[in-house]
Amino acid sequence: MKRAIFTFYNLSLDVDVVKLQQEVVVKFNTTAKFFPLLSKTHGEQVIHPDAVDYGFNQLFVEEKYDTVLLLDVDCIPLNKYALEYTFEEAEKGKLVGNVQ
C-alpha cells in the first residue's frame, strides 16, 4: 500500500507551526511519505478547497498513491497509533476524520 500524508500552508502562517508539525509527523510516521505543500501566497489568496484538490490530484492521479491522509497544518498527531489507525481505517474503506 502506497501511503502519503499531505498538509497545506501559506506564507501567512507562523513558521513555528509548520516546523513543529513536521517534527511530530516525522517522529510518529513510519509508513507514509510526508508532503508539506507551501503556497507562496498570503491569507485567502488560495482557498483551502483549491489546495486540497491540487494536492489530491498530484498524489492520487499523478503519483499514484493508494491512501492519502490530509492533515491540516494545525493538526498535531499525539502518537504513532493516531496516524497508523487513520490509515488502517481508510484502507478498510472508511471515511476517517478527527475531532478538533
Side-chain angles (χ1 to χ4, degrees), residues 25-71:
V25 170
V26 168
K27 177 179 179 177
F28 291 140
N29 171 38
T30 59
T31 64
K33 188 160 181 187
F34 182 51
F35 293 94
L37 174 66
L38 167 63
S39 172
K40 294 183 180 181
T41 61
H42 292 277
E44 298 299 318
Q45 290 174 304
V46 172
I47 61 171
H48 194 267
D50 291 341
V52 171
D53 285 347
Y54 174 81
F56 281 171
N57 183 62
Q58 290 300 306
L59 295 171
F60 280 126
V61 178
E62 301 296 325
E63 299 292 328
K64 308 288 190 223
Y65 279 87
D66 301 304
T67 311
V68 177
L69 168 58
L70 171 63
L71 195 63

